[in-house]
Amino acid sequence: MEEKKFWGPPRSRALKPVVDPVDPAALVGATKAPEPLPVFVVLDYDNGETHEIAGFAYGWTRAHVLVSVPWPMEYYEGRKEIWVEASRVRRRTNRTRPAVVNAS
């Protein structure tokens, strides 16, 4: 007889960003921000969509930026610091809004 499972932990149905690993040698000499800078970050997700979300920049090099972005967890949404390409980040001001990014 097959055993019935009555309860299981809830699974996060939120889309998860896909972040490419960054070579630690490329981060040598990174500049640290004196205070977090508000930015928009373009992230690719596991379903193939691309979205621009609000985050904060904590440091940078010529090619990469260290950003803190909302990150889906098992039971809640937390924040995670990740290195992304500098071309995927732009400053956020009172007049800027997220750009519309076409999903590919």
Side-chain angles (χ1 to χ4, degrees), residues 19 22 24 34 37 42 44 59 103:
V19 180
V22 176
L37 302 171
V42 176
D44 298 323

Side-chain angles (χ1 to χ4, degrees), residues 34-71:
E35 60 184 43
L37 302 171
V39 295
F40 287 116
V41 184
V42 176
L43 293 177
D44 298 323
Y45 288 82
D46 55 2
N47 68 347
E49 293 181 3
T50 300
H51 297 282
E52 185 174 55
I53 61 172
F56 292 94
Y58 286 92
W60 56 86
T61 66
R62 288 179 183 244
H64 297 91
V65 179
L66 176 63
V67 294
S68 173
V69 293
W71 200 269

Side-chain angles (χ1 to χ4, degrees), residues 6 8 10-11 19 23 25 31-32 39 42 44 46 58 74 83 103:
F6 293 102
R11 299 283 178 219
V19 180
D23 180 21
T31 302
K32 183 178 178 184
V39 295
V42 176
D44 298 323
D46 55 2
Y58 286 92
E74 193 67 29
W83 286 95

